[in-house]
Amino acid sequence: MMPFRAVFLVLVCALATEAAELKVGQKVYPKLDATARVDNDEINIAIVPYPAIVGKIDGDNVWLERAWVKKSDVLTEVDALEQLDAGLAKQPQDTTLLVRRGIIHRERSNHAEAITDLTMALRIDPKNAAARSHRALAWREVSAMELALADANTAVELNDEAPDAYIHRGLIWLRMGRQVEALEDLGVASRLDSTMPRPFFLRGQLLLELNDLDEALTEFDGALRLNPYDADAYAERADAWRRKNEYRKSIEDFTRVIEFRPNDAAAYSNRGAAYSHLKEIDQALADYTRALELNPKLSVAYSNRGQVWLNKKAFDKCIVECTMALWFEPGNAYAYYYRGEAWHMKGNYELARDDYSSAINSDRMPASVYSLRGHVCFELRDFPAAIEDYTKALELDPGDQTAVLNRGLAYQFLRRPDEALADYTTAIELDDQDAEAYALRAGILTDQKKWSQALNDFEEAHRLRPDDDEILNSIAWIRATCPEDRCRDAKAALEHARRACELRQWKNWMHVDTLAAAYAEAGEFKIAADWAEKCLALAPRKHHDDIQSRLDLYRAQKPYRETDDE
């Protein structure tokens, strides 16, 4: 039922960069004169992103997305900014220092300062493609999209073999909602430098958003082949596996995230959700609990743990967990959804309706939330509202057989039999093994005096649910009392009526009434009268007149017959 990117994938922010000790996931800045190595071969430090994310720490070395760099050759954001300030105080015309400081200002969301530094670099060197490309990103951050695109296009013209220029323009296309152009530019970047993991990762993210899961997985595989320590790529690939219902593979990838970032609360929560899908409840609870130990304000972990309690029918615990989730994140739609289900199961339909309504006001809710609100409206006898919700559920998911069946019931309660009949027929078309749908349609056909059709539906319902006493009783009644000779069968009526009475320990007055009619159809009027007298003793007083009229027929050696009058 579960949805799901909003519930299942929580992206993790980088750790604080001012920490003295480097940590996996930290954003750092390589020095200009740093040495980079791959497989013991020294390479140009320029290939390492600026800034870069620490993927792995091995002694005195750190993996920075594409290469190993010594710890002593990387700076935190604050230290990098201080050094650049000092360098520019001595060399104010140094465009490399200006570009790098502009990048740091942009990373710190100081966009005006970033644009100032990058503009200064361009005044000194109008053909500086890097300055132009990074200023495009700064314009993007302040939503100046025309300026951003103009700078990005110029950067590509200045250096059409620079992968970063295409990556940056791709990011601008994304912000503008032009996904095709973004994919194209990111593809160009990966072709220009097939060893660069970032365009593979970004294409994977975009393809995931487009729900092209197989292609997204291919791109994430490429990113991880080039950067095997990228926890974010593992997290994104885990979500792709989750959306393909490959929960075991999703768990494996989230486990890798946790290996790299053992204090990643979101990874524990997401892995717990995958365990929950596999019904491995103890593991799910353990992961949610660990997530909340690491981050007691992680709303999604509370709501996911609430779903576990919901599935275990611990409704009060579910309500508490979801209330906590909403305390920390009032817009957590799934917390409303699960809490609504808990109230629903406890029979508190007003509160359930309120929570379902709050869930509906959020994006990415499954169609089932309308169906569930329809159920509580039905329980509250607000049948028009129930019909409206079931109709909306069916617009979103035309294959929701439960919604169409229940809408038929609501129509029936509103005395709109033709619409009810149409919905029951649709329900059977969607699931021809649903005994309830056949029985409900048979009930309408019985009211319409379409005896043969009704009997056929009741017989099919009986085949599917042989020990349903109500279905048995309905067949017996038609077999005993139908005005059409072809539908009556005394032997079958007695067999079904006796079985219905047995299933209810002979205490259901309607079944006993049917048994009396069956004996009368068989010509056993004395026995029929005896059972009719027993029926009088069981039935509510308001039904006595009808039963007495049938008893009088049996005493007069006459069977009871339904009429064809509407």
Side-chain angles (χ1 to χ4, degrees), residues 19 72 126 353 448:
S72 57
R353 179 163 62 178
Q448 294 178 344

Side-chain angles (χ1 to χ4, degrees), residues 260-539:
F260 293 129
R261 298 196 293 233
N263 293 325
D264 187 335
Y268 278 102
S269 180
N270 292 332
R271 190 175 70 173
Y275 277 126
S276 183
H277 277 286
L278 292 174
K279 310 300 181 186
E280 296 177 14
I281 301 304
D282 291 339
Q283 293 93 324
L285 282 173
D287 271 357
Y288 293 145
T289 299
R290 180 59 180 151
L292 290 168
E293 289 171 355
L294 293 167
N295 182 1
K297 297 182 179 181
L298 187 60
S299 174
V300 68
Y302 285 109
S303 55
N304 284 355
R305 193 163 68 175
Q307 184 195 23
V308 171
W309 293 126
L310 178 68
N311 292 336
K312 290 171 74 72
K313 303 189 185 306
F315 302 125
D316 289 335
K317 288 184 177 180
C318 172
I319 289 166
V320 170
E321 296 281 6
C322 292
T323 301
M324 288 294 293
L326 291 165
W327 175 265
F328 292 115
E329 185 187 343
N332 185 332
Y334 280 91
Y336 285 115
Y337 183 76
Y338 301 142
R339 192 174 69 175
E341 283 199 77
W343 288 127
H344 190 167
M345 298 306 295
K346 283 171 66 70
N348 195 323
Y349 302 123
E350 292 285 0
L351 288 176
R353 179 163 62 178
D354 290 345
D355 274 350
Y356 289 147
S357 296
S358 295
I360 283 169
N361 290 333
S362 302
D363 293 334
R364 293 192 168 183
M365 273 288 99
S368 59
V369 71
Y370 285 98
S371 190
L372 289 169
R373 192 173 68 175
H375 297 345
V376 296
C377 289
F378 190 100
E379 294 291 347
L380 292 167
R381 295 298 186 262
D382 188 351
F383 300 119
I387 289 168
E388 184 177 345
D389 274 344
Y390 290 137
T391 300
K392 181 62 176 179
L394 290 164
E395 289 173 4
L396 297 171
D397 180 8
D400 187 343
Q401 194 259 4
T402 301
V404 74
L405 187 68
N406 288 331
R407 188 175 67 177
L409 273 171
Y411 280 130
Q412 192 168 350
F413 272 94
L414 289 176
R415 300 183 184 281
R416 293 162 65 176
D418 292 339
E419 289 151 304
L421 190 66
D423 272 352
Y424 295 150
T425 298
T426 301
I428 290 168
E429 291 169 353
L430 291 170
D431 181 3
D432 63 2
Q433 301 300 301
D434 186 349
E436 187 71 15
Y438 285 104
L440 288 169
R441 187 170 71 174
I444 295 286
L445 293 168
T446 300
D447 291 341
Q448 294 178 344
K449 311 301 182 181
K450 297 176 180 178
W451 305 108
S452 181
Q453 293 178 54
L455 187 59
N456 288 338
D457 272 355
F458 277 131
E459 292 283 9
E460 183 62 19
H462 173 57
R463 184 186 68 80
L464 295 166
R465 197 187 295 169
D467 287 329
D468 186 306
D469 63 287
E470 296 292 344
I471 294 171
L472 285 162
N473 186 68
S474 296
I475 294 171
W477 185 259
I478 294 176
R479 291 296 191 189
T481 68
C482 182
E484 297 178 7
D485 293 345
R486 60 178 176 163
C487 292
R488 290 198 309 278
D489 184 331
K491 181 179 178 182
L494 282 168
E495 179 184 345
H496 287 77
R498 285 196 196 99
R499 181 59 182 149
C501 288
E502 288 171 0
L503 289 168
R504 296 295 294 272
Q505 292 82 46
W506 305 88
K507 294 178 181 179
N508 184 300
W509 70 268
M510 290 183 287
H511 297 358
V512 173
D513 190 24
T514 299
L515 182 61
Y519 273 112
E521 174 60 19
E524 299 285 352
F525 295 108
K526 174 65 171 62
I527 300 175
D530 290 343
W531 281 110
E533 288 173 356
K534 291 176 183 177
C535 182
L536 280 170
L538 292 170

Side-chain angles (χ1 to χ4, degrees), residues 153-314:
N153 286 334
T154 302
V156 169
E157 292 169 3
L158 289 169
N159 187 355
D160 62 2
E161 294 187 359
D164 279 337
Y166 290 96
I167 291 172
H168 294 174
R169 190 169 68 178
L171 292 172
I172 291 164
W173 288 130
L174 274 177
R175 180 67 64 84
M176 297 173 71
R178 294 171 66 172
Q179 297 162 324
V180 173
E181 290 91 339
L183 277 173
E184 182 178 344
D185 269 352
L186 294 171
V188 172
S190 63
R191 290 191 293 274
L192 287 170
D193 186 351
S194 61
T195 68
M196 178 183 278
R198 195 177 182 212
F200 288 96
F201 176 77
L202 292 171
R203 277 176 59 88
Q205 282 189 312
L206 178 51
L207 289 163
L208 194 59
E209 289 295 326
L210 295 171
N211 208 38
D212 190 344
L213 302 181
D214 291 331
E215 288 299 318
L217 284 167
T218 298
E219 297 293 337
F220 291 134
D221 287 345
L224 287 165
R225 184 183 67 255
L226 298 168
N227 180 8
Y229 309 113
D230 187 348
D232 286 335
Y234 280 111
E236 293 281 2
R237 192 172 71 176
D239 186 51
W241 287 126
R242 188 271 308 172
R243 288 163 65 172
K244 284 176 68 70
N245 300 326
E246 294 277 2
Y247 299 113
R248 191 65 62 194
K249 291 181 179 179
S250 181
I251 288 168
E252 290 173 4
D253 274 350
F254 275 123
T255 299
R256 294 301 304 275
V257 177
I258 291 166
E259 289 172 1
F260 293 129
R261 298 196 293 233
N263 293 325
D264 187 335
Y268 278 102
S269 180
N270 292 332
R271 190 175 70 173
Y275 277 126
S276 183
H277 277 286
L278 292 174
K279 310 300 181 186
E280 296 177 14
I281 301 304
D282 291 339
Q283 293 93 324
L285 282 173
D287 271 357
Y288 293 145
T289 299
R290 180 59 180 151
L292 290 168
E293 289 171 355
L294 293 167
N295 182 1
K297 297 182 179 181
L298 187 60
S299 174
V300 68
Y302 285 109
S303 55
N304 284 355
R305 193 163 68 175
Q307 184 195 23
V308 171
W309 293 126
L310 178 68
N311 292 336
K312 290 171 74 72
K313 303 189 185 306

Side-chain angles (χ1 to χ4, degrees), residues 39-75:
D39 296 330
N40 295 320
D41 295 327
E42 186 172 326
I43 61 172
N44 190 340
I45 189 63
I47 76 161
V48 176
Y50 190 89
I53 303 299
V54 175
K56 186 177 176 63
I57 300 173
D58 185 3
D60 292 332
N61 299 298
V62 292
W63 176 264
L64 300 184
E65 302 189 37
R66 300 187 68 184
W68 290 99
V69 179
K70 289 185 177 298
K71 284 183 179 179
S72 57
D73 282 342
V74 300
L75 301 170

